[in-house]
Amino acid sequence: MYEVFSTYKTEISYTVATIFVLLIVQFLLKKAAHRVGKRSEINFTRTKLMFKYINILILLIAVFLLSISWGMGFAELSLIFSSVFAVLGVALFAIWSILSNITSGIILFFSFPYKIGDKIKIHDKDLPIEAIIEDIKAFHLHLRTLEGELITYPNNLILQKAVSLVEKDVYLDEGKSSL
């Protein structure tokens, strides 16, 4: 055991330092996301979704840095990452709508001015919608119309349409409005 430690002392030191620094960065990013969520009165489940995205980012950075610290060269790393990103690019191009909704979900987390419980009107030429926001998910919004109909509205479309606030903090009782 001592031989292994003495042989790989530098790599082990880099590994411990990398993990320690990334844990601190992860903590700071989660704290910042939590602060933004609290200040903007964002539902905690949406904040937890941002925590998942932060975890994925930190994991990718950790794999990259630990690979370098254990002696993998930039040529090998660039080959691996370019291959992985090429496959992911083809796969994500095939499902670009899902990627678009995830990206829109992140944008909505930081800049959507409406909250759960607000009554909004979506100004769509073909299908205007007036409903109460029940939930904001990673891919879509759950909207409840005045008739009690549940509408699942994609996040990427909510960013493309004009939306106006009709009433703030409408009381929701088991999915039905008090209107």
Side-chain angles (χ1 to χ4, degrees), residues 18 22 57-74 76-78 81 85:
T18 300
L22 287 178
L57 175 69
I58 294 296
L59 179 67
L60 290 174
I61 293 170
V63 167
F64 179 75
L65 292 177
L66 291 176
S67 298
I68 290 174
S69 70
W70 281 89
M72 189 175 279
F74 284 111
E76 293 90 1
L77 274 177
S78 64
F81 275 98
F85 285 127

Side-chain angles (χ1 to χ4, degrees), residues 41-53:
E41 297 175 0
I42 295 173
N43 191 332
F44 186 68
T45 55
R46 289 181 61 207
T47 305
K48 284 178 29 179
L49 182 64
M50 286 298 114
F51 291 169
K52 287 181 185 178
Y53 294 151

Side-chain angles (χ1 to χ4, degrees), residues 17-35 47-63 65 110:
T18 300
I19 290 172
F20 181 72
V21 168
L22 287 178
L23 286 174
I24 291 172
V25 169
Q26 181 183 31
F27 173 76
L28 293 174
L29 287 174
K30 284 184 175 183
K31 190 170 182 159
H34 182 68
R35 191 177 313 127
T47 305
K48 284 178 29 179
L49 182 64
M50 286 298 114
F51 291 169
K52 287 181 185 178
Y53 294 151
I54 290 169
N55 288 340
I56 291 170
L57 175 69
I58 294 296
L59 179 67
L60 290 174
I61 293 170
V63 167
L65 292 177
F110 289 107

